[in-house]
Amino acid sequence: MADLSAFPITQRWPAQHPDRLQLYSLNTPNGVKASIMLEEIGLPYEPHFIDITKNETWGPEFLSLNPNGKIPAILDPDGPDGKPLALFESGAILVYLAEKTGRLIPADAAGRYETLQWVMWQMGGLGPMFGQLGFFNKFAGKDIEDKRPLQRYVTESKRLLGVLDGRLEGRDWIMGEYTIADIAMLGWVRNLIGFYEARDLVEFDGLKNVPAWLERGLARPAVQRGLEIPKRP
């Protein structure tokens, strides 16, 4: 049985199954990247619900694993060389799990790097821009009288969706086959047109390929399960 007692986060969220990978998360667009991936690859894991509305990521236990105070984070008792590994950043988690299991990432070097470029593209562009659009369209930013910030993020989000739409021309998935690149983006696109209420703003239904891609992704059983993990207490 793995001993995870050296990790302070396990004092706040005890592991009932310390031999399994521990997931500390919430089903946000970033959080579901990890849960969808874990459901897709079938690796045994134990999810822990982290309530960001109660600032639980800013407590010393969570910060001991992720000093940036963001979800998701994982603790794998069977990391490299059989030693426990603590890891944060959703993109890094996707890459780690793909390489650990040999799943959902091309085996050839060129395909691997091409997949990684799309994961990085999501992390550097799609996620941050969609998040800002959501802030100015639905949350506190909507009360700002000057609508130029909102329009900036609407314009950039539409541009990024256009890039994604072009990539999907003639392809069911971003790499042709389903990979971590798709997992990285599904939750964000779903959130943009749903939770952020920006479907009409970004003219989503005028896109040629993205809507069908999103529908295909959301129809996957592992995606459907991952979107609801961790369960709220």
Side-chain angles (χ1 to χ4, degrees):
M1 187 68 71
D3 182 9
L4 302 180
S5 61
F7 296 88
I9 196 167
T10 62
Q11 299 171 16
R12 175 65 178 80
W13 293 279
Q16 300 300 314
H17 304 280
D19 57 324
R20 301 179 187 177
L21 184 146
Q22 305 294 305
L23 170 66
Y24 308 94
S25 192
L26 180 69
N27 57 342
T28 66
N30 281 330
V32 299
K33 294 180 198 174
S35 53
I36 289 172
M37 181 65 175
L38 286 163
E39 289 294 317
E40 290 280 11
I41 61 179
L43 194 67
Y45 71 103
E46 180 178 350
H48 300 273
F49 177 82
I50 309 299
D51 194 342
I52 61 176
T53 67
K54 296 181 179 178
N55 294 322
E56 288 184 345
T57 58
W58 301 111
E61 297 90 355
F62 191 89
L63 290 172
S64 70
L65 193 154
N66 182 2
N68 194 41
K70 302 290 184 181
I71 57 94
I74 63 171
L75 174 54
D76 185 359
D78 183 27
D81 302 319
K83 299 177 181 178
L85 174 71
L87 198 64
F88 63 89
E89 278 297 325
S90 58
I93 292 170
L94 284 177
V95 175
Y96 171 70
L97 293 174
E99 295 187 342
K100 176 183 175 73
T101 60
R103 299 278 307 281
L104 301 180
I105 192 168
D108 65 291
R112 177 180 179 275
Y113 284 118
E114 191 175 353
T115 303
L116 292 178
Q117 81 176 353
W118 285 104
V119 174
M120 303 304 170
W121 180 79
Q122 180 278 310
M123 295 172 62
L126 201 75
M129 295 302 104
F130 286 9
Q132 293 292 344
L133 190 159
F135 174 79
F136 285 103
N137 186 53
K138 182 171 181 176
F139 298 107
K142 71 179 185 298
D143 297 324
I144 297 176
E145 292 185 11
D146 186 347
K147 297 305 176 185
R148 285 176 294 180
L150 171 61
Q151 190 55 52
R152 169 184 171 84
Y153 293 114
V154 168
T155 300
E156 181 63 1
S157 294
K158 289 172 66 175
R159 187 191 72 80
L160 291 166
L161 284 169
V163 173
L164 180 58
D165 207 57
R167 174 64 184 184
L168 288 167
E169 181 66 31
R171 298 180 177 90
D172 283 346
W173 307 107
I174 292 166
M175 289 297 298
E177 63 184 84
Y178 181 74
T179 67
I180 57 174
D182 301 286
I183 294 175
M185 299 184 208
L186 282 169
W188 274 108
V189 177
R190 172 180 178 262
N191 223 55
L192 177 71
I193 65 172
F195 186 65
Y196 289 161
E197 302 172 355
R199 187 182 197 111
D200 293 338
L201 274 179
V202 298
E203 300 175 357
F204 184 79
D205 295 311
L207 295 165
K208 181 180 178 183
N209 303 304
V210 174
W213 163 84
L214 179 63
E215 185 176 348
R216 279 191 295 273
L218 296 180
R220 295 179 68 88
V223 173
Q224 293 173 11
R225 294 192 300 270
L227 288 171
E228 303 301 323
I229 296 172
K231 295 287 187 183
R232 291 183 177 272

